[in-house]
Amino acid sequence: MDSIVVTGNGALTGAIPIAGAKNACLTLMPATLLSEEPLTLTNAPRLSDIATMTQLLRSLGAEVASLQDGLVLAMSSHDISNHTADYDIVRKMRASILVLGPMLARDGHAVVSLPGGCAIGARPVDLHLRALEAMGATLDLRDGYIHAKAPGGRLKGAVFEFPFVSVGATENALMAATLAKGTTVLKNAAREPEIADLARCLRKMGAQIEGEGTSTLTIQGVDRLNGATHPVVTDRIELGTYMLVPAICGGEIECLGGRMDLVGAFAEKLDEAGVSVTETERGLKVSRKNGQVRAVNVTTEPFPGFPTDLQAQMMALLCTASGTSVLEEKIFENRFMHAPELIRMGARIDVHGGTARVTGVDKLRGARVMATDLRASVSLILAGLAAEGETVVSRVYHLDRGYERVEEKLRACGAQIERISA
Ligand code: EPZ
């Protein structure tokens, strides 16, 4: 298992290109199952999760060609030869559940392994299933698999209100509704930019969708969808992560391709903490306003609120801010596993349930720490960039799921960072 060694090296300055969004690509890829025509994605991120989704789609009979060093994914599901998404693949990545809606909508049946939990929480899929049931699906859960059928071979339009916001359930229902007979209205739908990106791609394929970006999606089902070519939207979580580099280390970083509309609440919170974010022709330029970063309180919420996927990274910054910050994690039940690792680096953090109180210290100290999940791993790297001495982050396979070429991008800005293979 690889580790990453990072040594605090003072202020960092330079430009970092932001890749296409992992969480957009992971829902755009299953959309190929909705059509017999080719779907090509450009600006795709080069990540292990994308390789896992590629493996899953191929296991269903889709053709997926990774071109131009993985930046282009040329997919075609002329027919789905296997309608079972196997546990061995699904257990590696929860987003595998997103093949359920498309397969069911296209061919009227699908068998998908229940994904199982993950480090940050139980993460059930009950809302995915309830939305599909509302559209007429029959779901039989047995031997760890969801056996789904659409009576008469086709889902039917329905009005469904999500009891609470779910990104994945919204994506599954949205994709399924494009081929259902009649009109579907999804209420209290998630508003994340990745869902708006999916809606734009589906519309290019011939779907009739209104309301993306709002909490009500209205979809008029059609009989078939065509092919399309679509660029994956910029990754707002990678963007936010690299925006924190000059905040925690000092210096100035320009995030190429960054857009303010993708990080609104996050940029406001940075501004409150004393970090300036300015739009440039090439993206977003970030630096401290006057040297010191102030403590701020953070509560994670569905978009457009503060993203849960940036909570761990923000905590790293607040470990060195002046004053005490309170972070409330409202989306997942166990998403503070980075706290004990940061404490090993000298951070002062008290965790009680979904609340973490962070009291800033002058300097973190390098230490051996362990990555526990994707975003926790990058928060430890951020802390290591600002710490005194050497930090060794183990189990960086978590990192590779969501961040491409981290060492390269940071080294280009002056960071002392390298990957070592155990
Ligand atoms: C997506 O996960 C993202 N993953 C997550 O990013 C992100 O943290 C999350 O949305 C919230 O923004 C992808 O897009 C691939 P949810 P998802 O359904 O869809 C509960 C990362 O780091 N819930 O919005 O699984 C759930 O347990 C990953 O890139 C149910 O109870 O998130 C959670 O507590 C981590 N039943 C809350 O809702 C359901 O049927 C929000 O989950 C579905 C969800």
Side-chain angles (χ1 to χ4, degrees):
M1 278 190 272
D2 290 0
S3 296
I4 282 190
V5 182
V6 51
T7 305
N9 197 24
L12 299 179
T13 297
I16 295 182
I18 305 301
K22 164 178 87 78
N23 291 348
C25 202
L26 289 175
T27 190
L28 288 164
M29 291 175 75
T32 185
L33 299 170
L34 289 166
S35 166
E36 296 177 6
E37 310 292 326
L39 173 61
T40 298
L41 300 177
T42 59
N43 193 39
R46 281 69 63 89
L47 303 167
S48 57
D49 269 8
I50 304 306
T52 303
M53 183 59 83
T54 297
Q55 184 191 1
L56 174 59
L57 291 175
R58 285 173 177 162
S59 77
L60 302 176
E63 290 163 28
V64 183
S66 174
L67 310 171
Q68 294 178 36
D69 185 27
L71 273 173
V72 173
L73 296 170
M75 302 177 289
S76 169
S77 312
H78 188 66
D79 60 318
I80 300 172
S81 51
N82 165 34
H83 289 79
T84 298
D86 195 78
Y87 173 66
D88 280 342
I89 302 179
V90 174
R91 69 183 171 82
K92 282 197 288 188
M93 185 186 63
R94 296 180 38 73
S96 305
I97 191 74
L98 293 173
V99 302
L100 175 61
M103 270 203 286
L104 190 54
R106 158 91 176 263
D107 285 346
H109 60 101
V111 179
V112 177
S113 167
L114 281 164
C118 86
I120 63 178
R123 299 183 73 185
V125 291
D126 52 322
L127 295 194
H128 298 242
L129 305 184
R130 282 170 53 184
L132 294 172
E133 276 176 330
M135 297 164 73
T138 58
L139 301 166
D140 178 16
L141 302 191
R142 62 176 190 276
D143 53 28
Y145 282 79
I146 303 158
H147 297 259
K149 280 196 174 48
R154 190 173 185 187
L155 295 172
K156 55 186 194 314
V159 176
F160 180 76
E161 178 153 7
F162 289 98
F164 52 84
V165 170
S166 162
V167 171
T170 301
E171 290 163 347
N172 238 334
L174 170 57
M175 288 190 282
T178 59
L179 292 177
K181 185 169 178 51
T183 303
T184 298
V185 179
L186 300 175
K187 296 182 176 179
N188 200 20
R191 299 170 54 191
E192 272 65 8
E194 292 75 35
I195 290 169
D197 199 41
L198 173 63
R200 285 191 293 272
C201 177
L202 292 169
R203 196 175 290 123
K204 283 182 190 172
M205 296 169 73
Q208 294 178 24
I209 301 167
E210 286 168 21
E212 70 269 15
T214 75
S215 50
T216 301
L217 298 173
T218 304
I219 305 102
Q220 180 63 42
V222 294
D223 293 340
R224 63 187 301 281
L225 291 177
N226 311 312
T229 296
H230 182 76
V232 178
V233 68
T234 302
D235 192 322
R236 62 194 170 95
I237 306 303
E238 188 194 24
L239 169 58
T241 302
Y242 287 121
M243 289 167 71
L244 282 165
V245 170
I248 200 167
C249 297
E252 181 177 85
I253 298 282
E254 185 174 20
C255 298
L256 308 181
R259 292 190 347 234
M260 194 65 95
D261 65 299
L262 294 173
V263 285
F266 176 72
E268 280 165 26
K269 199 49 80 170
L270 283 187
D271 183 67
E272 188 187 330
V275 178
S276 86
V277 182
T278 49
E279 294 183 273
T280 68
E281 277 181 12
R282 301 196 301 172
L284 297 179
K285 191 170 275 189
V286 185
S287 59
R288 288 177 185 165
K289 285 180 188 169
N290 54 18
Q292 184 55 34
V293 172
R294 293 186 298 277
V296 291
N297 296 332
V298 171
T299 301
T300 63
E301 295 173 305
F303 194 87
F306 190 101
T308 175
D309 292 349
L310 284 170
Q311 176 261 108
Q313 301 90 313
M314 190 70 179
M315 185 184 283
L317 171 66
L318 296 175
C319 288
T320 61
S322 59
T324 296
S325 307
V326 177
L327 289 99
E328 303 224 58
E329 173 54 61
K330 296 280 192 190
I331 305 293
F332 290 106
E333 61 267 34
N334 183 33
R335 203 169 195 180
F336 285 139
M337 287 171 296
H338 40 288
E341 303 302 313
L342 290 166
I343 290 168
R344 287 178 51 74
M345 299 176 71
R348 291 177 54 196
I349 308 169
D350 287 316
V351 173
H352 295 285
T355 301
R357 289 176 63 83
V358 180
T359 302
V361 296
D362 288 344
K363 207 71 171 142
L364 294 173
R365 293 185 311 279
R368 296 183 65 81
V369 291
M370 187 176 77
T372 51
D373 63 85
L374 166 55
R375 306 303 173 182
S377 55
V378 83
S379 83
L380 298 174
I381 289 185
L382 288 172
L385 290 172
E388 218 150 58
E390 182 179 90
T391 298
V392 181
V393 183
S394 62
R395 300 192 180 185
V396 290
Y397 56 85
H398 290 292
L399 187 73
D400 298 334
R401 294 190 54 179
Y403 290 89
E404 62 173 56
R405 300 173 297 138
V406 175
E407 312 91 271
E408 260 178 63
K409 294 187 176 185
L410 288 171
R411 245 194 316 268
C413 299
Q416 209 175 318
I417 181 170
E418 59 174 342
R419 180 182 292 253
I420 52 175
S421 299

